[in-house]
Amino acid sequence: MTIAKQGQQTTSGATQDRYDPGEIEPKWQQRWAEAGIYRVEDSVPGKENWFALTMFPYPSGDVHIGHWFAYAPADAHARFKRMQGFNVLHPQGFDAFGLPAENAAIARNVDPREWTLSNVANMRRQFNRMGNSYDWSRNLVTCTPEYYHWNQYFFLKFLEAGLTYRASGTANWCPTDQTTIANEQVKDGACERCGTPVIRREMPQWFFRITKYADELLEMDDIQWPEKIKLMQRNWIGRSTGVTLGFDVDEFAPGEKIETFTTRIDTVFGVTFVVLAPEHPLVEKLTQPGQREAVESYVNNARSASEIERTSTEREKTGVPTGAYAVNPLNSERVPVLVGDYVLATYGTGAVMGVPAHDERDFVFAKKYGLPIRVVVAPPGWDGSELDEAYIAPGTQVNSGEFDGLPSAEGMEHIADKIEANGWGHRTVTYHLRDWLISRQRYWGTPIPIIYCDNCGTVPVPEKDLPVLLPDEANFKPTGQSPLTMDPAFLNTTCPTCGGDATRETDTMDTFVDSSWYHLRFTSPGESEQPFSPERVKKWVPVHQYMGGAEHAVMHLLYSRFYNKALRDLGFVKFDEPYTRLFNQGLLIKDHKKISKRSNPLNPEPVIERYGADTLRCYLMFLGPWDQGGDWSDSGINGISRWLNRVWDLSQRDASHLSKAQPDESAMKALTRAAHSTTGRVVGELAEFKFNTAIAALMEYTNELNRLWDNGGISSAEWQDAVERLMLLAAPMAPHITEELWERTGHSSSIHLESLPGWDDSLAAAETLTIVVQVNGKVRDTLDLPADVSEDDAITAAMDSEKVQRHLEGGTLIKKIYVPGRLVNLVMRPG
RNA sequence: GCCGAAGUGGCGGAAUGGCAGACGCGACGGUCUCAAAAACCGUUGGGCAUUAACGCCCGUGUGGGUUCGAAUCCCACCUUCGGCACCA
């Protein structure tokens, strides 16, 4: 359906052309682009800078409704800040490296670069159709050498500083994507991208030493982020304090110790066994000849199990004895050493002291293998009987030698002191966070700038040779090896140190490397001698307002904070955090269900076709609070469409006759009140991202203006002011229609370069207040009283009310409560 | 299992200690029309009661509590969603 083009009768009797977004929206998009009204200077006298950043998209092909939901409200907020008088930088770019391009290349035999760049061009067009106020002159696309050059540069700077390193170990391998992935990219034991269960694989990989900043990353007092995200990051970093304690195994492996980590050193006298992770380096040495076969088969089994199986809490706790024994230094007891796959090689020391009485897992394990269970922290009122389950809570030390009788919290400290005094171990802090694995065995990413030489070893590519270009052509059929290995022209090179034959590193970088610093690049587009200009960065960063989804809580948002701290320590930036404020929008659904191309589609194209971009923008903002997501219904959008049509009609009425009529004082006051109170409400709500209630306030205002027009008695000047406010306040949400109306009502410059109207609270205040009168908390009457009514007068008026008196009969009045401007509550005792 | 958020009309939601349901959708009735759509006007939480009017009772997941007064604060539980999860 197209919108009718015929003239429309308005209540004022004037005929005007109909609101036709299909005509005005492309017109203004073009005019804005030509005039460059959103191009931003680094500084404008008298204006404060405001960096409004949205998480940049992956160029997947088309701008879908999820993009609209993320970017249109973000743009409205940026526009709001601009109209508040800030010099606003609102850029957009493309996170253009990554697997989909490569997979499309494999599936459809297209070039990943062409595929990506054509998607970029297409999405840029579609973003313009949204009417966003992007400064495209600062656009960046991460798959270009101008950008990834600096990924390589930072990689080398980090390497010099010891923040980049290569290590061999068990990595998470996604069998579908044919690459290793970082811990943060494993969700429920499966690849975050494709959902395939990950397996473990031993291979040398490059890491960024994010764990160096674990403690600093826990400090988040100075950033205004949702508590939820801070909590997720805290949990992910997972700091826990405890004690590393060595168990002597001299008898079986001379000179070796089993280092165990525990947060419950108060239970150390209850150790009845020690368990090693299957991957633990001492397993081989400690395994006794009679046990060799059983242990080897157990370890091989554990290795081949998937990460999901390995880490399932449902999994039965199994283990095999190594035949060796370890000595607990606290009581010199000899306890068996077992291998069990419920112990993770990657956490703590990869070995645990088994205290079945006070750890659920150890308890189950001990029961299964008939190992002794000794209570050393007595539950309150414990009678010495056997436990039915592990006792985890604090208690009193028993069977703990000199520590008997102490509360376990104290025991913990005293035992730790003794261990440290005797050199048996030391207090330790461990983290769940592990270093960021950045190597990817894929083609479409930033080449890692490293050369391997038989003579000189691992040699960084000299800075002057950067960027190491990603070759145009590659055979990227996934083979489990990096595609670049198949490209001899890329692979074979000469050593920059000795000039001899050498080969290049063929892995590429995780794409989260690209997004860790892109906000800095937006300040310095086109910079070719350095990644960004420190002077320009200083003007814009830390980002004032970052907006995006919560799914990046422990990926991008954590990596980016790490990058900032690393860059600060290398002298590139002066601040501690990249993003001062963060707002997370929720998830858009439709008819209570997840939107899905197949089963529950919601394509923006027909919606724009039928209603226009402004209506779509406003509807998405009207659905509900942005941070709680929204539930789309096809019929609901009609309400917004009707409202914008009313705004269209209202704003263009010929008000010239108004001045001829006799103005009515109360009508004029009502008009002023509506104008000023709406301005205050809308400005307050937009500041807090409450677009839904801001639009509701504007709808109420529109309805009120219609009533006041019909009732008459208002002056032409007052009306013009009231209508101008409507246009200005709606402009951030509905940029096209307001721009068109602004021009039609005689303005020659863009509404988007105007300031928001001011307001006066005293003009916004009502002259009379509606006071609720309650008897025993139940509403019995409402009274219209002067705004400055005294407490005594309000109570007297309340008591005089006939409706109230009816409820006062037959009881004793014991209390009178007055809440100024709100209510009177008369408290009665019956009888 | 642990941590977090949320439960309000037929629907999206508003109200964060003071008139529950703003604003909008939908529905119903009306105006206009040959008719329909659009547009506009009116009604719309449930129940009781009435010719009509004045009214009354119930109601924000469940149960308790604090308070003159609770959707809002506290305790317990239920449900849904999100995150983490053999973390020693």
Side-chain angles (χ1 to χ4, degrees):
Chain A
M1 195 203 90
T2 52
I3 285 164
K5 297 279 194 320
Q6 308 99 315
Q8 179 206 5
Q9 289 296 113
T10 68
T11 53
S12 67
T15 303
Q16 63 200 20
D17 57 347
R18 194 93 198 248
Y19 170 44
D20 182 1
E23 190 188 318
I24 64 168
E25 290 180 353
K27 177 183 79 182
W28 283 110
Q29 285 152 13
Q30 197 186 342
R31 280 168 69 171
W32 293 332
E34 282 165 9
I37 70 164
Y38 304 124
R39 195 158 305 149
V40 61
E41 299 300 323
D42 283 337
S43 49
V44 173
K47 287 195 176 189
E48 245 179 87
N49 281 358
W50 182 269
F51 192 171
L53 183 66
T54 59
M55 292 178 188
F56 66 161
Y58 178 79
S60 50
D62 282 300
V63 168
H64 55 70
I65 198 73
H67 291 118
W68 277 79
F69 192 64
Y71 297 125
D75 174 67
H77 195 262
R79 287 176 178 278
F80 165 71
K81 296 308 287 190
R82 193 177 291 119
M83 291 182 78
Q84 267 195 327
F86 289 90
N87 181 40
V88 175
L89 170 56
H90 189 42
Q92 186 60 292
F94 293 92
D95 192 11
F97 268 140
L99 270 173
E102 205 167 335
N103 290 341
I106 294 160
R108 283 175 261 160
N109 201 28
V110 292
D111 176 43
R113 180 172 287 100
E114 276 170 29
W115 184 86
T116 303
L117 294 178
S118 87
N119 285 348
V120 163
N122 185 43
M123 288 177 76
R124 252 184 87 153
R125 242 188 339 266
Q126 293 175 338
F127 275 129
N128 283 333
R129 194 64 195 85
M130 206 182 282
N132 287 349
S133 59
Y134 295 140
D135 179 355
W136 282 116
S137 73
R138 296 177 184 248
N139 182 39
L140 66 82
V141 181
T142 58
C143 66
T144 57
E146 302 80 67
Y147 188 84
Y148 70 69
H149 178 158
W150 305 108
N151 285 339
Q152 296 172 342
Y153 173 82
F154 288 136
F155 177 97
L156 297 175
K157 290 287 172 198
F158 285 10
L159 185 65
E160 278 170 33
L163 290 170
T164 305
Y165 67 93
R166 189 171 189 245
S168 204
T170 13
N172 302 302
W173 174 265
C174 172
T176 299
D177 289 342
Q178 293 277 314
T179 180
T180 54
I181 53 177
N183 278 322
E184 288 76 15
Q185 293 153 36
V186 180
K187 300 271 178 240
D188 297 326
C191 172
E192 177 262 338
R193 240 195 49 77
C194 69
T196 312
V198 303
I199 57 173
R200 309 168 147 272
R201 225 172 126 161
E202 294 270 344
M203 49 203 296
Q205 298 278 284
W206 287 96
F207 291 86
F208 281 159
R209 205 180 295 277
I210 189 172
T211 54
K212 182 183 171 193
Y213 293 95
D215 278 316
E216 201 193 336
L217 287 166
L218 283 168
E219 288 167 29
M220 287 177 273
D221 291 344
D222 296 337
I223 47 178
Q224 294 157 52
W225 284 25
E227 277 309 314
K228 184 187 151 190
I229 303 290
K230 291 187 181 181
L231 193 68
M232 280 168 74
Q233 291 208 348
R234 264 184 222 115
N235 290 341
W236 185 259
I237 294 165
R239 182 182 202 270
S240 59
T241 54
V243 171
T244 303
L245 177 64
F247 281 70
D248 203 319
V249 284
D250 248 356
E251 198 187 326
F252 302 91
E256 299 282 5
K257 272 189 175 192
I258 299 176
E259 300 285 345
T260 61
F261 173 75
T262 180
T263 55
R264 288 295 304 277
I265 199 64
D266 55 322
T267 66
V268 69
F269 286 86
V271 173
T272 54
F273 55 94
V274 168
V275 189
L276 303 178
E279 297 85 355
H280 195 282
L282 284 178
V283 168
E284 173 133 29
K285 272 194 194 166
L286 290 178
T287 300
Q288 298 306 294
Q291 294 301 115
R292 189 153 301 276
E293 209 172 308
V295 168
E296 275 174 7
S297 119
Y298 184 84
V299 168
N300 285 335
N301 245 323
R303 279 226 173 96
S304 61
S306 78
E307 187 69 10
I308 288 189
E309 292 171 308
R310 271 294 294 275
T311 57
S312 163
T313 45
E314 311 295 300
R315 187 176 169 87
E316 203 187 351
K317 297 188 179 28
T318 58
V320 285
T322 57
Y325 288 80
V327 178
N328 180 349
L330 274 294
N331 56 13
S332 306
E333 274 185 27
R334 221 166 149 261
V335 295
V337 178
L338 299 96
V339 179
D341 69 1
Y342 77 95
V343 176
L344 304 177
T346 44
Y347 183 76
T349 57
V352 298
M353 55 182 221
V355 187
H358 305 293
D359 182 278
E360 282 171 33
R361 293 150 306 179
D362 295 347
F363 187 89
V364 174
F365 191 79
K367 279 280 183 195
K368 183 173 162 89
Y369 293 105
L371 296 158
I373 298 173
R374 186 197 304 144
V375 175
V376 292
V377 174
W382 181 58
D383 59 5
S385 60
E386 272 186 35
L387 299 176
D388 297 330
E389 56 178 5
Y391 178 73
I392 315 294
T396 309
Q397 303 279 166
V398 293
N399 297 323
S400 299
E402 64 197 273
F403 304 101
D404 279 355
L406 285 176
S408 54
E410 274 179 50
M412 188 134 36
E413 295 309 316
H414 288 129
I415 294 170
D417 287 342
K418 179 166 182 181
I419 288 169
E420 289 186 334
N422 286 282
W424 296 331
H426 49 91
R427 286 178 167 88
T428 326
V429 179
T430 53
Y431 302 87
H432 169 248
L433 181 72
R434 278 168 256 161
D435 280 333
W436 176 11
L437 191 167
I438 61 153
S439 299
R440 296 292 177 273
Q441 292 70 48
R442 298 299 302 232
Y443 163 73
W444 191 235
T446 304
I448 291 174
I450 290 290
I451 290 167
Y452 300 107
C453 168
D454 283 342
N455 297 323
C456 313
T458 303
V459 183
V461 172
E463 232 175 78
K464 64 173 174 49
D465 295 342
L466 296 183
V468 175
L469 288 172
L470 185 65
D472 283 339
E473 310 249 330
N475 175 12
F476 27 72
K477 283 268 184 290
T479 59
Q481 279 215 47
S482 304
L484 292 177
T485 316
M486 314 297 163
D487 182 346
F490 177 86
L491 179 68
N492 298 314
T493 185
T494 51
C495 172
T497 309
C498 70
D501 286 349
T503 55
R504 287 189 189 277
E505 168 66 61
T506 52
D507 285 354
T508 53
M509 295 183 201
D510 183 2
T511 56
F512 281 109
V513 170
D514 308 350
S515 51
S516 291
W517 66 281
Y518 75 118
H519 53 286
L520 299 167
R521 184 72 181 176
F522 274 134
T523 67
S524 315
E527 189 72 56
S528 60
E529 298 303 310
Q530 51 183 354
F532 48 78
S533 144
E535 296 77 40
R536 298 185 78 183
V537 161
K538 211 159 85 188
K539 290 183 173 141
W540 292 109
V541 194
V543 170
H544 302 86
Q545 183 67 60
Y546 200 25
M547 296 164 277
E551 68 274 15
H552 288 296
V554 293
M555 294 193 281
H556 162 61
L557 287 169
L558 190 61
Y559 296 146
S560 215
R561 293 184 62 221
F562 153 68
Y563 237 78
N564 189 90
K565 292 174 196 303
L567 291 179
R568 176 201 59 199
D569 290 348
L570 293 173
F572 285 98
V573 299
K574 299 259 185 283
F575 37 85
D576 296 325
E577 292 284 345
Y579 315 126
T580 305
R581 292 175 197 79
L582 174 68
F583 191 95
N584 286 127
Q585 82 271 13
L587 195 70
L588 180 69
I589 57 172
K590 181 189 169 190
D591 302 327
H592 319 291
K593 293 187 298 277
K594 233 183 123 176
I595 292 167
S596 130
K597 243 181 205 161
R598 275 202 210 126
S599 59
N600 196 30
L602 176 45
N603 181 1
E605 288 300 325
V607 181
I608 312 166
E609 228 10 66
R610 176 166 175 182
Y611 298 99
D614 281 340
T615 302
L616 178 50
R617 287 170 64 102
C618 290
Y619 184 50
L620 290 169
M621 291 183 236
F622 184 63
L623 284 173
W626 195 32
D627 56 351
Q628 282 168 41
D631 189 0
W632 175 286
S633 89
D634 283 332
S635 57
I637 197 168
N638 289 325
I640 294 291
S641 175
R642 285 175 199 145
W643 171 58
L644 288 179
N645 271 293
R646 280 200 294 275
V647 171
W648 177 264
D649 160 52
L650 197 67
S651 305
Q652 296 185 79
R653 285 182 190 168
D654 177 4
S656 58
H657 72 283
L658 287 175
S659 43
K660 291 173 201 132
Q662 183 65 34
D664 171 71
E665 200 194 332
S666 80
M668 294 281 284
K669 276 192 172 155
L671 181 62
T672 306
R673 190 157 54 240
H676 283 254
S677 70
T678 302
T679 306
R681 265 174 80 184
V682 171
V683 169
E685 271 152 5
L686 289 181
E688 292 176 62
F689 294 91
K690 291 183 187 162
F691 305 107
N692 57 329
T693 48
I695 291 174
L698 288 171
M699 286 174 167
E700 279 182 62
Y701 183 52
T702 309
N703 296 342
E704 178 73 5
L705 288 180
N706 259 323
R707 258 193 302 278
L708 290 163
W709 174 276
D710 290 344
N711 293 344
I714 49 181
S715 81
S716 158
E718 291 275 320
W719 175 259
Q720 296 297 0
D721 174 71
V723 167
E724 249 179 39
R725 281 169 189 271
L726 176 61
M727 292 185 254
L728 289 164
L729 293 170
M733 277 89 75
H736 310 86
I737 185 176
T738 50
E739 184 78 301
E740 176 74 16
L741 290 169
W742 193 248
E743 188 189 54
R744 285 175 180 232
T745 51
H747 300 89
S748 54
S749 70
S750 171
I751 191 170
H752 302 300
L753 303 175
E754 294 292 323
S755 294
L756 287 169
W759 74 97
D760 182 336
D761 282 328
S762 65
L763 293 176
E767 286 180 304
T768 62
L769 294 172
T770 303
I771 304 285
V772 171
V773 185
Q774 298 180 334
V775 178
N776 286 346
K778 286 189 195 298
V779 179
R780 298 301 178 186
D781 199 3
T782 57
L783 304 171
D784 279 334
L785 298 174
D788 56 353
V789 68
S790 71
E791 175 166 353
D792 285 349
D793 288 350
I795 288 172
T796 307
M799 306 265 297
D800 284 348
S801 157
E802 200 191 314
K803 292 177 192 172
V804 170
Q805 278 177 352
R806 210 177 307 149
H807 294 275
L808 293 178
E809 281 162 20
T812 323
L813 188 60
I814 53 170
K815 203 168 178 184
K816 299 175 215 167
I817 289 158
Y818 176 63
V819 181
R822 286 193 174 270
L823 63 60
V824 173
N825 189 10
L826 303 171
V827 185
M828 298 280 298
R829 190 186 300 135

